[in-house]
Amino acid sequence: MNNGGLLVAGTTSDAGKSVVTAGVCRWLVRQGVKVAPFKAQNMSLNSFVTREGAEIGRAQAMQAQACRVEPTALMNPVLLKPGGEQSSQVVLLGKPVGELSARGYHGGRQQQLLGTVLDCLAELRGTYDAVICEGAGSPAEINLRRTDIVNMGIARNAGLPVLVVGDIDRGGVFASFFGTVALLSREDQELVAGFLVNKFRGDVSLLEPGLDMLHGLTGRRTYGVLPFRHGLGIDEEDGLRVSLRGTVRESNTAPPVGEDVLRVAVCAIPLMSNFTDVDALAAEPGVVVRFVDRPEELADADLVVVPGTRGTVRALEWLRERGLADALRRRAAEQRPVLGICGGFQILGEHIEDDVESRRGRVEGLGVLPLRVRFAPEKILTRPEGTALGERVEGYEIHHGVAEVTGGEAFLDGCRVGQTWGTHWHGSLESDGFRRAFLREVAAAAGRRFVPAPDTSFAALREEQLDRLGDLIEQHADTDALWRLIESGAPQGLPFIPPGAPA
């Protein structure tokens, strides 16, 4: 017998599904409920490696943290990692299984994965009291409904009630709610229990007449109105809105400990992956992080980060086209700090042999670090631990590139030459002691009187963030009604709203 469940859908992408899912998870676990997150299919370049060596979306890893459980591949059985406009790497149960075009995936492969997805969800529901599922995009994508395995496809097959989240800050939320329901088939509509308004600013009493009218039009209630809060979010799936970085910037009022701030410029390379690596830098009072795409923006930076990417050769060409490659070489020659992470580390090397990702063969790198990279068909997925700058460090690796380091000073699994550093390890800067030691080195090289705060805990900031999301649900949603929905499913007798899905 399956336990409780809920699918959090959205009127659009970025309506707040990930945040609401995490908030519901944290609220439930604080009530003593054993809960797990689930997203059948995720499209994201921000991923994470579980303890068993499986790659899943970072959003689901953070939602697992909200549940206070260890993330597993069951929580995100299908991960799509875009490699360009036309194709994505398909990661199934944490392991890559090939590259597919959008047409090839939606043309048949996606539907073939439905059984695997349902098996994963059933296993979670047999283990936990409740499973909170997150949809993708909108459930009313009528062109994709036939092969859908992440929205109404999973809700129908698993009998899940559906809560539709709408971002009122964008405008048009009533039309979006009504239209979402009205474009679903009768069978799909029977599972849509109601709505949740997200990012509301102002006096809720002014909104209530509209919610009453929406109830009259659809027969479905609104389960809560969540107020707009600056800096609320978890690790992003897409885009450049680095959630925790934004959160810290907006909510952390602690002044710099030293006399100076440190300016960090992150090269906004194409197909940038795991840009959440820099969240930990911005967690430090007095560290200012920004994304850049012009060489002149590197001039006043105390540290330049070249982040990971799903297109290393393409990113290298982009750096050259923009003049950033020459600026990075000048920085290295002038002993001004540069940090390359994963793909960024590979870019800083002598050359890349790539017959896997870009299939371009041998490509010359920037030549500022003594390493040669060969792309292997097998993806490396590990959770390494080690020591650097006298401090313990933990991280995770996600890459096809195998680096042969031929010189320099050892640095994690990579190397350091002067003030140019490179490693395949994502997440290393989340280790507080190491991050502070690294920033002290950067400050000394940059001639800045910057002092890292002695007590910044990145893990504590994350916990505080997840608690804020739980508070949002507890204080502004009808939690009694929400629990009944999770426990008992969608109410019976919900009316059909025409026209329904087209034939």
Side-chain angles (χ1 to χ4, degrees):
M1 180 83 177
N2 282 331
N3 290 325
L6 174 70
L7 176 71
V8 179
T11 55
T12 62
S13 295
D14 200 35
K17 297 183 295 291
S18 296
V19 166
V20 169
T21 300
V24 171
C25 286
R26 179 48 63 101
W27 160 65
L28 285 172
V29 81
R30 294 195 306 205
Q31 310 309 306
V33 178
K34 187 180 178 186
V35 60
F38 180 78
K39 184 161 185 172
Q41 172 194 295
N42 195 344
M43 178 172 278
S44 178
L45 288 173
N46 281 335
S47 58
F48 182 75
V49 179
T50 66
R51 291 288 179 195
E52 72 266 33
E55 184 180 10
I56 67 172
R58 277 196 67 96
Q60 279 62 65
M62 288 293 286
Q63 288 163 355
Q65 186 174 343
C67 297
R68 298 184 179 136
V69 297
E70 192 68 32
T72 73
L74 293 173
M75 297 170 183
N76 180 208
V78 181
L79 173 64
L80 305 178
K81 302 194 74 175
E85 295 297 322
Q86 299 295 328
S87 68
S88 293
Q89 183 180 66
V90 181
V91 179
L92 179 62
L93 293 174
K95 304 296 180 184
V97 295
E99 296 271 343
L100 277 179
S101 67
R103 180 179 292 274
Y105 184 69
H106 290 288
R109 178 60 169 155
Q110 184 181 35
Q111 187 66 20
Q112 294 170 9
L113 298 174
L114 179 61
T116 300
V117 162
L118 290 171
D119 287 345
C120 291
L121 177 56
E123 186 171 343
L124 288 174
R125 294 184 77 186
T127 305
Y128 292 88
D129 300 329
V131 178
I132 308 303
C133 307
E134 179 188 342
S138 162
E141 304 288 358
I142 54 178
N143 55 316
L144 302 176
R145 175 62 184 91
R146 183 177 61 83
T147 58
D148 171 51
I149 65 169
V150 66
N151 290 305
M152 299 313 299
I154 193 98
R156 280 272 292 280
N157 279 278
L160 293 171
V162 178
L163 184 69
V164 180
V165 178
D167 179 357
I168 197 169
D169 199 47
R170 293 181 172 190
V173 75
F174 292 115
S176 297
F177 281 144
F178 183 88
T180 296
V181 178
L183 280 177
L184 300 178
S185 68
R186 185 180 299 273
E187 294 79 8
D188 285 352
Q189 287 192 25
E190 289 173 356
L191 294 172
V192 178
F195 314 107
L196 186 75
V197 177
N198 192 28
K199 301 182 187 176
F200 179 71
R201 305 174 191 250
D203 185 344
V204 176
S205 66
L206 298 176
L207 186 67
E208 287 170 348
L211 300 179
D212 292 339
M213 286 184 251
L214 183 67
H215 184 270
L217 288 166
T218 66
R220 289 158 176 85
R221 58 167 298 171
T222 298
Y223 284 77
V225 177
L226 308 185
F228 186 97
R229 291 285 186 267
H230 283 289
L232 278 182
I234 61 173
D235 288 6
E236 295 282 358
E237 293 181 359
D238 308 293
L240 277 180
R241 298 172 305 280
V242 182
S243 56
L244 193 56
R245 180 179 65 85
T247 299
V248 174
R249 185 178 56 211
E250 292 167 352
S251 64
N252 190 342
T253 57
V257 175
E259 296 179 45
D260 289 340
V261 299
L262 274 187
R263 295 171 176 83
V264 179
V266 184
C267 296
I269 56 180
L271 296 173
M272 182 167 47
S273 62
N274 289 72
F275 51 77
T276 46
D277 283 333
V278 301
D279 286 354
L281 292 177
E284 290 285 348
V287 175
V288 179
V289 178
R290 68 183 188 273
F291 289 87
V292 304
D293 60 4
R294 298 193 302 272
E296 58 269 26
E297 293 178 296
L298 305 189
D300 67 343
D302 302 307
L303 169 67
V304 173
V305 177
V306 188
T309 173
R310 249 280 282 161
T312 304
V313 170
R314 179 178 168 189
L316 184 52
E317 292 172 342
W318 181 88
L319 289 168
R320 287 188 167 119
E321 290 165 1
R322 296 260 174 166
L324 286 159
D326 289 338
L328 287 167
R329 276 194 287 260
R330 284 195 299 272
R331 282 189 69 93
E334 295 166 0
Q335 298 295 305
R336 301 181 66 200
V338 176
L339 171 63
I341 302 174
C342 199
F345 169 43
Q346 298 165 5
I347 283 168
L348 297 176
E350 296 168 4
H351 68 256
I352 297 166
E353 291 281 352
D354 183 9
D355 296 316
V356 175
E357 195 174 76
S358 69
R359 296 181 174 86
R360 292 281 297 278
R362 181 179 171 122
V363 178
E364 297 303 310
L366 298 190
V368 296
L369 285 178
L371 75 138
R372 298 157 190 162
V373 178
R374 175 183 56 83
F375 274 66
E378 301 78 21
K379 183 182 283 191
I380 296 170
L381 297 167
T382 63
R383 290 276 291 270
E385 299 179 9
T387 304
L389 303 179
E391 300 285 349
R392 290 289 300 164
V393 191
E394 296 182 4
Y396 57 99
E397 295 187 48
I398 306 170
H399 55 94
H400 286 277
V402 179
E404 177 192 358
V405 177
T406 59
E409 181 182 339
F411 174 64
L412 301 177
D413 71 329
C415 62
R416 169 190 183 181
V417 174
Q419 291 301 320
T420 302
W421 318 61
T423 177
H424 273 131
W425 291 23
H426 294 289
S428 63
L429 294 165
E430 295 177 19
S431 298
D432 297 326
F434 167 71
R435 181 181 65 253
R436 287 192 278 268
F438 176 70
L439 289 176
R440 281 193 289 269
E441 291 250 0
V442 168
R448 298 288 187 190
R449 290 171 293 181
F450 168 85
V451 179
D455 55 356
T456 300
S457 167
F458 189 72
L461 283 170
R462 274 192 164 154
E463 277 297 302
E464 176 188 322
Q465 176 74 343
L466 293 169
D467 276 331
R468 290 179 69 204
L469 295 177
D471 292 344
L472 203 67
I473 297 298
E474 190 167 338
Q475 295 167 11
H476 299 283
D478 185 339
T479 51
D480 289 340
L482 198 55
W483 176 245
R484 286 195 298 272
L485 191 62
I486 293 167
E487 191 175 40
S488 305
Q492 296 297 306
L494 292 169
F496 172 70
I497 307 303

